[in-house]
Amino acid sequence: MFEMLTTVPVAKPDLTSFPHPYQAMGDIIHALASRIYPLCRSITGQGVRDTIDVLRDHIDIIRNDVPSGTRLFDWIVPQEWIVRNAYIIDPSGRQIAEFKTSNLHLLNYSIPVRRTMPLAELKAHIYTLPTQPDLIPYKTAYYTDAWGFCMSHNELLALKDGDYEVVIDTAKVPGMLHYGEYRHQGWGDKEVLLYAHICHPSLANDNCSGLALLTCLAEWMKSIRTYYSYRFIFAPGTIGSLAWLSANEHCLPNVAHGLVLSCIGDGGNAHYKRSRRHTAIIDRIAACTRCGEDQHPLAIDDFSPFGYDERQFCSPGFDLPVGLLQRSAFGTFPEYHTSADNLDFIRPEHLGSSFRMVVDMLSALEGNWTPLNNSPKGEPHLSRHGLFPTIGGHKDQSLQTAAYLWVLNFADGNHDLLDIAERSNLSFMQIAAAAADLLDARLISNLGFLDRKI
Ligand code: ZN
C-alpha cells in the first residue's frame, strides 16, 4: 500500500464519504486540462512541444525528439506539420471555418492550399456529421497528402453557390516527433507503465483528460515511496508508442504492469479493456476495482486489437501486461471525435473519481500481500478484538464484517488479497482495509507481498 494512503481515506474506504479529498484533485486536473485544451496538437510539431511545456509546470518531463524519416519497426516518422492559419472566404467575403476559432476546422495534417474554386469542388474537401448537424467532426490525414475542412453540417447546408477562396497556410518539413517521459523511482526494479496519447487537438476527454490526470498523479506521487518505479509516457498515438518501444526494448523485461488512460473525464461508467494476456495482474485488479460516488464495478471488456496505444504494447512481439482504462468507451459516446468533446463535457468530479480509481488500482499493485490466519480453528470472536459492530444491521457494517470473514477464511497462506477479493466479489480496497484491521488486531500475519522479497 502506498505509505501516503494511510493519511487519506483510501486504505479504509468509507463508501459514504464522497465527496472527499479527491474532489479537490478533480479541480486541479480540470484546470490543467483547460490549459492544454486550446493547443493544436498532432503527431508531430509545435502543439506537442507546447503541451509538454505546460505539463512541465507540474513535473520534470524529459522530452525525446525523433527526426522525420526515422524507421520505427514498420513505420517511418513523417515530416513535421507546421500550421499557421486556415480559413475559407465565401462569395460574400466572409471568413468561415476559421482555424483560429476552432482547430478542429482544419483536417489535421492538411497540405498547403491557396486557391479559388467553385462550391462543388470545395464540397469534396469538406467533412461534416449529418446525424449531428451542429457539431464539427475531428478528422486526420497523417500519412497522405490531402487537404480539407471540417464544419457543422448545418453550416455546409447554408453555403451558397459561388466561388470560394481556400487558404491553408501549412507546411510539411523535415522535423521532429516528440514524446515526453517522467519516471518516479521506486525501491524495486520492476516498473509500471502509465501512458496517455498527446496527438489530439482540442478534444477534452480524448485526451486532455488522460494527459492532465497522469501529470497530476505523477506530481502527487512525488511525496510517496513506492515499491514499483512508474514510467509516465506522453506520446503521439501509434507512432509515439512505437518510438518509445523502439528506444526502450532493453527495459521491457522490467515492465510488470501498465495502463493506457484515455477518455477519463466524462461521467460514464468506467471501462477497462484487458491486456492481450487476459489474466494479467492488472486485468484481475481492474475487475476488483470500483468507480465513482456509488462505487460501481468497472465494465470489463476483453482484449481487442482496436483502440489506443495498448495495441502496440500488446502486439505479439511485446505482449506486455498493459490494459486500457476509460470512463465511457471510445467511439461509443456521441461527443467522441467532435467539437462537443469540450471542457464542459469533462467535469472535475468525474476526473476526481477517476483519479481515485487509478490510485486504488495502483494501491492494489503495491499492496497485494498474502495473509495467514493466526487462529484458523473456528472463527475468532471478532467483538472481543473490537472488530465486530455491537449493534448490527447497517449495510456498510455488514459489508465490513463480510470482508473480515472472507479474509480470515482464506488467510491460509495460499491466497493473496487479490485472490480473496476475486472470491468474495468485494473490492480489493474493502478486502485490503479489512486485512489491515485484522493485522492490527494480530489475528493474521503478513506472509509477504506479490512480486517482492521482504
Ligand atoms: Zn481519438
Side-chain angles (χ1 to χ4, degrees), residues 138 197 200 203 206 263 308 330 336-337:
Y138 161 57
H197 61 272
H200 287 31
L203 296 168
D206 180 16
C263 305
Y308 293 97
F330 73 91
Y336 176 73
H337 280 193

Side-chain angles (χ1 to χ4, degrees), residues 235-256:
T238 304
I239 190 102
S241 51
L242 292 173
W244 184 87
L245 283 161
S246 172
N248 291 278
E249 275 199 85
H250 60 287
C251 303
L252 300 184
N254 275 341
V255 174

Side-chain angles (χ1 to χ4, degrees), residues 61-91:
I61 294 175
I62 293 171
R63 197 186 83 195
N64 298 275
D65 304 336
V66 185
S68 300
T70 304
R71 182 91 189 223
L72 301 169
F73 307 107
D74 197 41
W75 295 65
I76 295 171
V77 175
Q79 292 197 309
E80 181 172 326
W81 187 54
I82 296 170
V83 52
R84 288 175 283 264
N85 204 357
Y87 53 87
I88 302 168
I89 301 176
D90 74 7

Side-chain angles (χ1 to χ4, degrees), residues 220-234:
W220 181 80
M221 263 192 194
K222 285 180 189 171
S223 58
I224 297 171
R225 288 190 68 222
T226 58
Y227 167 71
Y228 290 107
S229 294
Y230 289 81
R231 277 183 194 257
F232 294 80
I233 305 166
F234 309 93

